[in-house]
């Protein structure tokens, strides 16, 4: 399979190049040259298959030209080491809990798949790969834990000093081994700028093999399609149409759901739910797509003013804005609406995190305007990850899951860096 750039369909590269480079040289996103479709028999027998069996088939459909059957199994087994239970919250409304992985957020799926795929593709390479990541919290922890102990790969995480919650910080600063955390005296955007500059620096790129593991990488994006197939397979068979609501920031997660639909999964409709960073909902309701500066909210992993996966949404629908608007509805909510919904659903016995709450509300609003559906919303993080917000909204004390509590006991190890590219470059040059 070749992968093309969304900025130029004639520019095509191999799987290895797409994964190692992350972004096309023209800044486009890589997309598979064709979307394979799965047979009706496969769709019909989904309820009888395990999560991993579904994974072998779906990943096989995209990667079988590039990887052996054994490699595909290895990749899926390494990724799906935890479940994604579909929990009924009320009649026709289901939560797809994606937070049962090592860092308790859905990004664990993509990070684990990405690390394994890189190590499979790098077996012939002599050079050690350096994965550079700028993080405001969640990405750093998922990538660090996904790559921990992976041979031939070293992860360097830049994060803004004092701007990341203690719990998030612990998840990537206490690991050691092949994970290094650099604390930058600046904000997230400074970290991001330094990482981007490093990718463009000729001298560094001659010396080191640098790569990114951010959400635009196909190796993080594609595996997210798996849990849409799995969730669909576990829904009651009652003849109702199926909608998926996805709390969205960079729109990678929902784009993976659309990929699943394009591969033949009978999803009737998507709901793109955001906080007040509402560029895409505005677009879906008829405005121009216009990037804006991001606004801080309580669902902070979705505070994205310029959603980078947007070109993928269009590409998946043959670059037809009309089809995209037909298939996907947009809703956005303020923080106080989000808190209200968390409180309402708590009364029914289910605890939402602020991101899942946005997804739930989008689904409900869509379903009340469009009867005849059953729906799934993606619960993208464990409520304990946003402990302060959740405790305050719901007036309760959360017990942290064991895995989170264990991180809190680890000892933080970081190196400090000025907000200065030259210093970062010197640091990288000293690596062997
Ligand atoms: C990253 C993240 C999102 C947004 O996902 P996108 O793929 O960027 O749209 C939503 N919820 C949580 C908890 C996240 O960490």
């Amino acid at each position: 399979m070749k992968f093309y750039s969304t900025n130029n369909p004639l520019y095509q590269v191999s799987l290895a190049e797409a994964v190692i480079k992350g972004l096309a040289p023209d800044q486009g996103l890589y997309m598979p040259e064709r979307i394979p479709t799965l047979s009706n028999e496969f769709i019909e027998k989904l309820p009888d298959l395990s999560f991993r069996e579904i994974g072998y088939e779906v990943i096989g459909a995209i990667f079988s030209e590039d990887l052996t059957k054994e490699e595909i199994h290895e990749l899926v087994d390494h990724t799906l080491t935890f479940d994604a239970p579909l929990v009924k919250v009320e009649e026709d409304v289901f939560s797809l809990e994606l937070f049962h992985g090592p860092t308790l957020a859905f990004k664990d799926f993509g990070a684990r798949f990405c690390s394994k795929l890189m190590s499979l593709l790098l077996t012939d390479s002599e050079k050690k790969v350096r994965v550079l990541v700028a993080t405001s919290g969640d990405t750093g922890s998922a990538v660090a834990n996904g790559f921990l102990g992976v041979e031939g790969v070293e992860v360097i995480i830049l994060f803004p000093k004092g701007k990341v919650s203690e719990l998030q910080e612990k998840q990537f600063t206490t690991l050691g081994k092949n994970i290094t955390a650099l604390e930058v005296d600046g904000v997230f955007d400074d970290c991001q700028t330094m990482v981007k500059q490093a990718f463009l620096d000729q001298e560094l790129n001659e010396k080191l093999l640098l790569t990114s593991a951010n959400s635009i990488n196909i190796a993080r994006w594609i595996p997210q399609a798996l849990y849409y197939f799995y969730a669909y397979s576990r829904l009651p068979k009652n003849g109702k149409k199926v909608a998926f609501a996805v709390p969205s920031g960079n729109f990678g997660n929902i784009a993976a759901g659309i990929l699943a639909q394009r591969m033949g999964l009978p999803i009737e409709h998507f709901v793109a739910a955001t906080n007040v960073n509402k560029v895409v909902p505005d677009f879906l309701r008829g405005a121009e797509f216009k990037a804006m500066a991001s606004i801080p909210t309580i669902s902070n992993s979705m505070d994205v003013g310029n959603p980078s996966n947007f070109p993928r949404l269009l590409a998946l629908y043959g670059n037809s804005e009309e089809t995209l608007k037909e298939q996907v509805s947009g809703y956005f909510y303020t923080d106080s609406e989000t808190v209200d919904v968390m409180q309402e659903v708590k009364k029914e016995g289910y605890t939402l995190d602020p991101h899942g709450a946005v997804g739930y509300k989008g689904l409900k609003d869509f379903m009340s305007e469009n009867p005849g559906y059953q729906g799934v919303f993606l619960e993208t993080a464990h409520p304990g990850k946003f402990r302060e917000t959740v405790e305050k909204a719901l007036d309760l004390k959360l017990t942290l899951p064991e895995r989170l509590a264990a991180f809190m006991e680890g000892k933080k190890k970081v190196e400090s860096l000025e907000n200065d590219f030259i210093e970062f470059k010197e640091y990288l040059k000293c690596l062997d």
Side-chain angles (χ1 to χ4, degrees), residues 105-107 138-139 215 224 246-254 301-302 304 309 353 355 380-381 386:
F106 80 95
K107 291 186 175 74
D138 271 358
T139 300
S215 69
Q224 299 174 137
V246 188
S248 296
N250 259 323
F251 283 74
N253 205 1
I254 194 170
S301 299
M302 312 197 296
V304 179
N309 280 286
D353 98 289
H355 305 77
T380 46
F386 302 93

Side-chain angles (χ1 to χ4, degrees), residues 87-138:
V87 177
K88 184 171 176 177
V89 175
E90 58 200 65
E91 201 53 38
D92 291 330
V93 174
F94 298 84
S95 169
L96 177 61
E97 294 186 348
L98 300 176
F99 55 72
H100 295 276
T103 72
L104 304 158
F106 80 95
K107 291 186 175 74
D108 284 327
F109 287 93
R112 293 183 69 78
F113 188 92
C114 184
S115 68
K116 190 73 195 176
L117 183 54
M118 272 191 195
S119 70
L120 287 173
L121 295 171
L122 283 169
T123 43
D124 305 330
S125 159
E126 295 285 297
K127 261 189 182 175
K128 198 175 212 181
V129 177
R130 259 74 188 214
V131 177
L132 304 184
V133 200
T135 187
S136 54
D138 271 358

Side-chain angles (χ1 to χ4, degrees), residues 4-9 11 24 26-31 311-312 315 319:
Y4 71 88
S5 163
T6 49
N7 282 347
N8 176 8
Y11 183 84
D26 61 9
Q27 308 289 306
L29 308 188
Y30 285 119
M31 288 292 286
R312 282 199 168 119
N319 290 312

